[in-house]
Amino acid sequence: MTTPPRLETALKRLTAALDQLEAAAERRAQADAGRANREEEFTVMQDDRTRLAVELDGVLARSSTLELANDEVARRLQGVGTTIKTILEKAYLTEK
C-alpha cells in the first residue's frame, strides 16, 4: 500500500513542525534554567553588595577615628617639639 503524495507531503510538514516545536521547547527550557541561574547569581551579588556596604561604613568610621587620633598626635608632637626647642635654647644660652 502506497501513501498518496499529498499525504506524504503533509506528514513531512507535520514532522518538520513537530521537530521545530521540540527544538523551541528545548530552547525555552534552557532559557528558563539560565534565567533561574542569573536570578540566583543576582541575589548573591545583592547580598555581597549589602555586606560590602556595611564593611565599607565600618572602615570609613574607623578611618575617621584614626584621622582624628593622627591630628591629635601631630598636635601633641608639635607641642613637645616646641617645648624641647625651648629647653635646648635655654640650655644653650645658659652655657654661654
Side-chain angles (χ1 to χ4, degrees):
M1 179 159 172
T2 61
T3 307
R6 288 180 63 185
L7 181 56
E8 188 69 35
T9 302
L11 287 174
K12 286 180 183 179
R13 287 177 52 207
L14 178 60
T15 301
L18 288 173
D19 288 345
Q20 288 178 351
L21 180 60
E22 187 176 310
E26 180 64 28
R27 286 191 305 270
R28 175 63 188 258
Q30 289 174 352
D32 288 347
R35 186 178 318 110
N37 287 340
R38 285 189 302 275
E39 288 174 358
E40 183 179 337
E41 288 177 15
F42 183 69
T43 300
V44 169
M45 288 183 351
Q46 284 180 319
D47 292 346
D48 284 347
R49 182 191 175 282
T50 300
R51 180 184 52 79
L52 290 171
V54 169
E55 287 180 20
L56 178 60
D57 288 345
V59 167
L60 290 174
R62 174 118 172 98
S63 174
S64 179
T65 300
L66 290 173
E67 284 181 30
L68 291 173
N70 185 43
D71 291 345
E72 177 65 16
V73 168
R75 186 186 63 74
R76 287 181 182 189
L77 285 173
Q78 185 177 10
V80 169
T82 302
T83 302
I84 291 172
K85 183 178 178 183
T86 303
I87 291 170
L88 290 175
E89 286 174 350
K90 286 181 182 178
Y92 178 73
L93 290 176
T94 331
E95 289 180 1
K96 285 190 168 188

